[in-house]
């Protein structure tokens, strides 16, 4: 499915001609919700570079960090309050925080970094645009868009029904991805001789 097909599907399901001009906005609102709910490996990205005075601007479409290496060493996330307190006592711990659109590393200086993070898919610009989620799990987009349309027209029953379908679809995609990450795990068991 692509963006144009998604718009057509939403229009067909809601079966209302008075919302045609609003469908792009409805899908945009759906994307905002999906962005907070879905975390799959197709959204992972590795961003590298060098810090400037121990910080770097977050990459475009940044959602969440998974792992940060600075100078080849793993750093752990702390809250901005903890980070500030550690700065006050000249901490040597390998910590970082995210604040005001930037990532800050204690004693980071100008070290090289490698950030494994989740980034949202490119926004749709033309009808032929698609992404991994829309291609593989169009129901996630469709059900959330239909929920947003129901909210827009103040149909609480329809909104609740589509929310349930969306939650099932979202849980499904997150669960399949999580299982896929663990499918390569191998457990070696000792051979038992009877």
């Amino acid at each position: 499915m692509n963006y144009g097909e998604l718009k057509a599907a939403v229009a067909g399901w809601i079966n209302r001609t008075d919302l045609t001009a609003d469908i792009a906005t409805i899908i945009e609102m759906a994307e905002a919700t999906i962005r907070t709910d879905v975390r799959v490996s197709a959204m992972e990205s590795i961003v590298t570079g060098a810090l400037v005075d121990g910080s770097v601007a977050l990459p475009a479409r940044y959602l969440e960090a998974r792992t940060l290496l600075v100078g080849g060493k793993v750093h752990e996330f702390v809250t901005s309050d903890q980070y500030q307190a550690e700065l006050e006592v000249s901490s040597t711990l390998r910590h970082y925080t995210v604040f005001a659109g930037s990532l800050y590393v204690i004693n980071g200086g100008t070290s090289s970094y490698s950030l494994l993070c989740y980034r949202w898919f490119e926004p749709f610009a033309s009808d032929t645009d698609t992404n991994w989620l829309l291609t593989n799990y169009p129901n996630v987009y469709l059900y959330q868009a239909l929920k947003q349309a129901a909210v827009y027209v103040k149909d609480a029953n329809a909104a609740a029904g589509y929310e349930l379908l969306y939650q099932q679809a979202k849980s499904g995609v997150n669960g399949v991805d999580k299982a896929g990450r663990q499918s390569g795990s191998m457990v070696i068991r000792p051979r038992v001789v009877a």
Side-chain angles (χ1 to χ4, degrees):
M1 182 177 277
N2 62 34
Y3 181 48
E5 292 167 335
L6 176 61
K7 290 190 289 188
V10 171
W13 279 59
I14 59 177
N15 197 25
R16 289 179 60 149
T17 56
D18 60 328
L19 296 181
T20 303
D22 299 309
I23 289 177
T25 302
I26 287 167
I27 292 172
E28 188 177 331
M29 295 300 101
E31 280 187 297
T33 299
I34 295 166
R35 200 173 292 137
T36 64
D37 291 344
V38 174
R39 293 292 183 273
V40 292
S41 56
M43 298 166 69
E44 290 177 330
S45 182
I46 296 177
V47 180
T48 61
L51 300 171
V52 176
D53 294 327
S55 69
V56 64
L58 293 173
R61 304 181 330 276
Y62 171 88
L63 290 172
E64 177 183 339
R66 290 217 35 229
T67 306
L68 174 66
L69 297 174
V70 177
K73 296 186 170 135
V74 175
H75 282 57
E76 293 182 19
F77 175 81
V78 295
T79 66
S80 54
D81 292 340
Q82 287 175 282
Y83 181 87
Q84 184 179 18
E86 289 180 16
L87 280 179
E88 293 296 318
V89 296
S90 301
S91 174
T92 57
L93 298 173
R94 290 191 296 247
H95 288 165
Y96 75 95
T97 196
V98 174
F99 177 73
S102 292
L103 187 142
Y104 294 87
V105 180
I106 290 185
N107 300 317
T110 58
S111 300
S112 64
Y113 73 90
S114 176
L115 173 66
L116 173 60
C117 63
Y118 287 108
R119 295 171 72 188
W120 184 243
F121 302 110
E122 289 279 349
F124 299 126
S126 70
D127 283 352
T128 57
D129 287 349
T130 192
N131 61 40
W132 181 91
L133 185 62
L134 184 56
T135 298
N136 292 288
Y137 296 93
N139 56 338
V140 173
Y141 274 97
L142 180 62
Y143 293 147
Q144 185 54 231
L146 293 171
K147 179 209 168 188
Q148 294 298 327
V151 168
Y152 183 75
V153 299
K154 298 174 179 53
D155 184 342
N157 289 335
Y162 288 128
E163 176 65 15
L164 179 62
L165 291 170
Y166 166 74
Q167 289 298 328
Q168 291 170 344
K170 178 223 21 163
S171 294
V173 68
N174 284 336
V176 166
D177 191 75
K178 184 177 179 182
R181 288 174 186 264
Q182 297 171 352
S183 66
S185 301
M186 182 186 306
V187 176
I188 299 174
R189 300 183 198 290
R191 186 172 171 198
V192 177
V193 180

